[in-house]
């Protein structure tokens, strides 16, 4: 079994690479990653020592390069994590989101058709459903919830989902799609809420909370996401969409206060800044389908997962400090100066 994992040098892709190498020692895992600002070879250092793992630097939207990878490695399955993934960046520069998230997904699926790949799995997001109102805690995203996007990021991910469904229907490409809620855990790039707040708190820097901090996200520990994708690959039904997440809703302010408390830092570090344009209010997943079909439910509660995550950031300071010392510094100034 050979699995091509695109975007495996990023947060979730890398966790998935480690999960698969450990659980299936006989599988070959090929990682194709363009190493954008979000890709980090330090994250894959241990995988690089495993003879079952091969890393290839390349862009999923580069047709020639992608076909070459398929020609050489003939993957049985493709799991597409490669994406531009940060909503704030999609607001300042939507173009690259269209190229990677939409065109790149199309190129990968063309390669799957050409080389007879037996599964293309698209890693999508609950953000394709738009948001839920704060005053309707009874509402959840199901797989039947209409696509209704808010940001250029979510619009590009929804476009990729629609393309994947079209390739399944028109070309009979064996596609599965998963739509997951917000992940957190080891190797999370410190531009996203949880790692950014941990890093800032540890450096006694202010914690920029957008608006009033009342927006709600449904947080999923990253290994739970990896296990769900593993199950979909081995037992899921081709042509189906599976929502992943559930039962871990927190307001941003709750999350930030929990981090400060765990690190023994004062709440005076919280700084309310101008809200994100088009900011989605609430995400919340109904995992009934994947629970009934594949027996999956989140196994790590937020209270447990956030403690493990904070510990990881304390134990792996060098990993995130190296990132903060690099390209990210310029980005931080651009996004937050004068906000
Ligand atoms: P990330 O930004 O940490 O990593 C993305 C990876 O893709 C990086 O290694 C980057 O170098 C690579 N990449 C970017 N453009 C590429 C290209 N053109 N060709 C090849 N590689 C390229 O993202 P993440 O948080 O790990 O998210 C992974 C996937 O999961 C994305 O598709 C995202 O939409 C989806 N997702 C993320 C979350 C979340 O909470 N982070 C939730 C649901 C779904
Ligand atoms: P983020 O981690 O960017 O994920 P997403 O936008 O895909 O849900 O943001 C999570 C939430 O945290 C979102 O409501 C925006 C908010 N947020 C802040 O309040 N401050 C920040 O500096 C960041 C990055 C996010």
């Amino acid at each position: 079994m050979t699995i091509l994992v695109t975007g495996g040098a990023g947060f979730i892709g890398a966790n998935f690479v480690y999960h698969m190498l450990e659980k299936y020692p006989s599988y070959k895992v090929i990682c194709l990653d363009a190493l954008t600002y979000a890709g980090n070879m330090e994250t894959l250092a241990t995988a690089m020592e495993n003879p079952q793992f091969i890393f290839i630097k390349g862009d999923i939207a580069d047709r020639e390069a992608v076909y070459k990878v398929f020609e050489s490695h003939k993957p049985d399955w493709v799991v597409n994590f490669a994406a531009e993934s940060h909503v704030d960046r999609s607001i300042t520069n939507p173009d690259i989101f269209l190229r990677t998230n939409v065109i790149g997904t199309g190129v990968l699926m063309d390669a799957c058709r050409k080389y007879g790949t037996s599964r293309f799995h698209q890693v999508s997001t609950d953000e394709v459903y738009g948001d839920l109102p704060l005053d309707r805690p009874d509402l959840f995203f199901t797989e039947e919830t209409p696509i209704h996007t808010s940001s250029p990021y979510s619009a590009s991910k929804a476009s990729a989902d629609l393309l994947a469904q079209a390739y399944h229907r028109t070309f009979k490409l064996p596609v599965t799609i998963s739509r997951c809620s917000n992940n957190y855990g080891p190797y999370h790039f410190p531009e996203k809420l949880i790692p950014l707040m941990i890093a800032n708190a540890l450096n006694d820097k202010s914690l920029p909370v957008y608006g009033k901090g009342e927006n709600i996200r449904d947080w999923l520990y990253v290994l739970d996401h990896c296990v769900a994708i593993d199950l979909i690959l081995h037992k899921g039904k081709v042509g189906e969409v599976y929502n992943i997440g559930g039962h871990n809703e927190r307001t941003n302010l709750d999350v930030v206060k929990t981090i400060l408390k765990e690190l023994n830092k004062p709440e005076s570090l919280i700084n309310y800044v101008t809200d994100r344009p088009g900011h989605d209010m609430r995400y919340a997943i109904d995992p009934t389908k994947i629970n009934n079909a594949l027996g999956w439910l989140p196994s790590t509660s937020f209270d447990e997962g956030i403690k493990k995550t904070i510990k990881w950031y304390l134990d792996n300071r060098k990993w995130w400090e190296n990132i903060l010392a690099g390209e990210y510094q310029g980005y931080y100034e651009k996004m937050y100066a004068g906000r």
Side-chain angles (χ1 to χ4, degrees), residues 173-210:
L173 188 71
V175 167
T176 43
I177 297 174
S178 53
R179 296 183 178 144
C180 189
S181 61
N182 286 62
N183 284 214
Y184 67 103
Y187 303 119
H188 204 181
F189 194 84
E191 67 180 350
K192 305 280 171 67
L193 180 75
I194 288 181
L196 176 75
M197 298 300 165
I198 296 173
N200 279 17
L202 286 171
N203 287 329
D204 294 310
K205 278 178 75 173
S206 69
L207 273 50
V209 170
Y210 297 168

Side-chain angles (χ1 to χ4, degrees), residues 204-250:
D204 294 310
K205 278 178 75 173
S206 69
L207 273 50
V209 170
Y210 297 168
K212 295 184 194 145
E214 62 190 357
N215 308 65
I216 291 175
R217 297 295 182 262
D218 184 358
W219 293 99
L220 185 72
Y221 193 61
V222 63
L223 288 181
D224 277 332
H225 188 184
C226 297
V227 168
I229 294 174
D230 173 357
L231 271 173
I232 294 168
L233 288 170
H234 287 94
K235 297 189 179 143
K237 197 166 153 220
V238 160
E240 295 291 315
V241 173
Y242 297 91
N243 285 353
I244 305 176
H247 316 311
N248 282 294
E249 289 179 56
R250 292 286 186 284

Side-chain angles (χ1 to χ4, degrees), residues 6-13 32-40 58-61 80-86 96 99-101 122-127 153 157 179-184 187-189 191-192 219 225:
T6 66
F11 163 45
I12 309 172
L32 175 66
D33 196 296
L35 294 182
T36 67
Y37 78 93
N40 188 345
D59 177 353
I60 59 163
N80 182 27
F81 290 94
E84 288 293 332
S85 68
H86 192 33
I96 184 70
R99 180 180 150 81
T100 291
N101 300 3
Q122 175 66 3
V123 180
S124 187
T125 164
D126 62 355
E127 299 192 30
Y153 164 67
K157 293 296 290 185
R179 296 183 178 144
C180 189
S181 61
N182 286 62
N183 284 214
Y184 67 103
Y187 303 119
H188 204 181
F189 194 84
E191 67 180 350
K192 305 280 171 67
W219 293 99
H225 188 184

Side-chain angles (χ1 to χ4, degrees), residues 37-38 64 69 77 86 144 187 194 204 214 239 259 297 303:
Y37 78 93
E64 209 180 309
V69 172
W77 295 344
H86 192 33
E144 309 306 321
Y187 303 119
I194 288 181
D204 294 310
E214 62 190 357
I259 292 169
L297 275 181
D303 293 340

Side-chain angles (χ1 to χ4, degrees), residues 27-96:
Y27 288 13
K28 268 208 143 58
V29 176
I30 317 286
C31 171
L32 175 66
D33 196 296
L35 294 182
T36 67
Y37 78 93
N40 188 345
M41 285 310 287
E42 279 181 38
T43 304
L44 289 176
T46 306
M48 293 298 276
E49 290 164 13
N50 188 323
Q52 294 294 77
F53 179 76
I54 295 173
F55 178 83
I56 300 162
K57 183 171 187 288
D59 177 353
I60 59 163
D62 178 343
R63 190 172 293 275
E64 209 180 309
V66 167
Y67 285 10
K68 229 161 101 188
V69 172
F70 276 69
E71 183 70 49
S72 307
H73 297 283
K74 311 260 174 346
D76 298 292
W77 295 344
V78 175
V79 185
N80 182 27
F81 290 94
E84 288 293 332
S85 68
H86 192 33
V87 172
D88 292 328
R89 287 181 188 253
S90 83
I91 295 168
T92 46
N93 182 17
D95 274 20
I96 184 70

